[in-house]
Amino acid sequence: MRAVARAHPNIALIKYWGKRDEALVLPMTGSLSLTLDIFPTTTSVELDALASADIVELGGETARGTAAERVTAFLDIVRRLAGSSVHARVSSRNTAPTGAGLASSAAGFAALAVAASAAYGLDLDGPALSRLARRGSGSAARSIVPGLAIWHEGDDEHSYAEPVPGPDLGMVIATLDARPKTVSSRVAMRASIDTSPFFPGWVDSTRRDLAEMLQALAAGDIERVGALTESNALRMHGVMAAARPPIRYLSPQSVRVFDLVSELRSAGLAAYATADAGPNVAVLAPAADLAAVRDALASEVPAAQLSVAHAGPGARLVGATEAAS
Ligand code: PMV
């Protein structure tokens, strides 16, 4: 069987930072994100009864080392669920810069979850696909879902993402540096838990932020949604800055974009900044204001590559699942 799936990255408004269970990828707290309509990943999975190992191709090149091992470990989970021992050929193409904190692993594992479960003949509903994607990369649980998504903390059965209603928001992604990060989010999360004295405060305050965010979204209160988004992101970066040794993903250019966004607010635009495990900054704004935010940033940070994103679709099969020829 062969199946092809497509998924888009998501950017969290309330961040996931820290695992309660590394093997099952259970988060310390719930989180909330916006799945985007840009930078999709398309992944095909084809079963090969004659292959003696999985063959993994990423961006047209054979994957080796950790990247290939993560895909095989993920396929092992799918094979256990399907009661199969057949290996697969996986081919995946990203359109976002890989590893630069633009959530390419979220889109990648969401697409792989949908394609692999279909190829192995599993019939999984949304929550089950989200739980599966979570095992590949925590944030991938949220890319199964379109638009705004909450990923619940909890045990293996209950920790999945589902849609949340809210206002029509989008993001301007300011790519400042597309090189892969030097410290993985996995390693940085562990260091934050083990050595940052702020970590317990992060967990408590993020649970409060998430509850408040749900209220603000339900009320369509964009100012409160934005303020929570920006302060939660800066608090996450503060937690890791307090680790030993300190971890810092934000560059001077990232901080400059945060300052510019604050100036845009003073000038009357509802724009709010956030950043993941990398120097690039995502600016949250009502969909109707995205062009104005992009134009303002373009004149102030000409070196940044700016991409406008609206709420995007959840991960899905593209084309028919078919018997391999
Ligand atoms: O899914 P991971 O392991 O790549 O972790 C992503 C963590 C952040 O992007 C920094 C925050 C988030 O909630 O997406």
Side-chain angles (χ1 to χ4, degrees):
M1 290 293 283
R2 176 171 186 269
V4 184
R6 184 165 301 142
H8 289 75
N10 70 77
I11 300 284
L13 281 60
I14 301 296
K15 303 294 186 193
Y16 146 57
W17 194 251
K19 294 176 182 64
R20 191 158 52 77
D21 183 318
E22 289 212 3
L24 291 173
V25 194
L26 298 175
M28 287 279 189
T29 72
S31 56
L32 189 143
S33 61
L34 182 69
T35 297
L36 308 179
D37 66 347
I38 59 170
F39 300 151
T41 295
T42 306
T43 300
S44 84
V45 175
E46 183 171 354
L47 305 200
D48 184 345
L50 301 176
S52 56
D54 296 319
I55 299 158
V56 182
E57 199 188 278
L58 301 176
E61 290 183 19
T62 305
R64 299 178 204 288
T66 318
E69 283 161 21
R70 280 181 78 180
V71 172
T72 289
F74 187 82
L75 291 176
D76 285 341
I77 296 171
V78 178
R79 280 188 279 260
R80 264 198 304 281
L81 287 171
S84 169
S85 55
V86 175
H87 289 103
R89 291 170 185 277
V90 175
S91 168
S92 186
R93 265 181 201 282
N94 259 335
T95 51
T98 301
L102 286 172
S104 51
S105 71
F109 278 103
L112 183 61
V114 172
S117 56
Y120 280 93
L122 294 170
D123 186 17
L124 303 182
D125 62 8
L129 280 171
S130 177
R131 289 174 55 222
L132 175 61
R134 189 195 79 213
R135 301 287 296 274
S137 182
S139 56
R142 299 183 310 231
S143 275
I144 295 294
V145 174
L148 292 165
I150 183 169
W151 169 23
H152 302 286
E153 67 172 275
D155 61 11
D156 179 34
E157 197 187 332
H158 298 100
S159 187
Y160 58 82
E162 59 184 341
V164 177
D168 190 8
L169 298 167
M171 290 183 177
V172 178
I173 309 294
T175 304
L176 302 164
D177 184 347
R179 282 173 300 182
K181 55 192 171 233
T182 49
V183 184
S184 71
S185 50
R186 189 171 293 232
V187 167
M189 284 183 198
R190 200 178 296 152
S192 300
I193 294 171
D194 292 346
T195 69
S196 175
F198 297 167
F199 196 78
W202 161 255
V203 170
D204 291 346
S205 60
T206 297
R207 288 195 179 123
R208 281 197 301 275
D209 282 357
L210 183 58
E212 209 180 323
M213 178 61 90
L214 289 171
Q215 286 175 3
L217 287 171
D221 184 344
I222 288 176
E223 217 171 289
R224 210 154 100 196
V225 167
L228 283 164
T229 298
E230 202 171 287
S231 70
N232 184 263
L234 288 172
R235 204 165 339 105
M236 177 186 80
H237 288 280
V239 170
M240 58 184 110
R244 234 189 273 182
I247 297 164
R248 182 171 57 83
Y249 289 116
L250 301 178
S251 67
Q253 289 76 12
S254 326
V255 176
R256 163 123 175 86
V257 175
F258 271 76
D259 285 347
L260 281 171
V261 168
S262 161
E263 284 168 25
L264 293 183
R265 279 202 297 278
S266 303
L269 277 175
Y272 301 86
T274 184
D276 285 337
N280 303 312
V281 178
V283 183
L284 179 76
D289 292 349
L290 291 170
V293 171
R294 183 206 45 216
D295 292 349
L297 291 177
S299 59
E300 296 290 338
V301 240
Q305 186 194 312
L306 301 172
S307 315
V308 172
H310 295 87
R316 67 212 181 282
L317 288 171
V318 285
T321 302
E322 60 200 29
S325 51

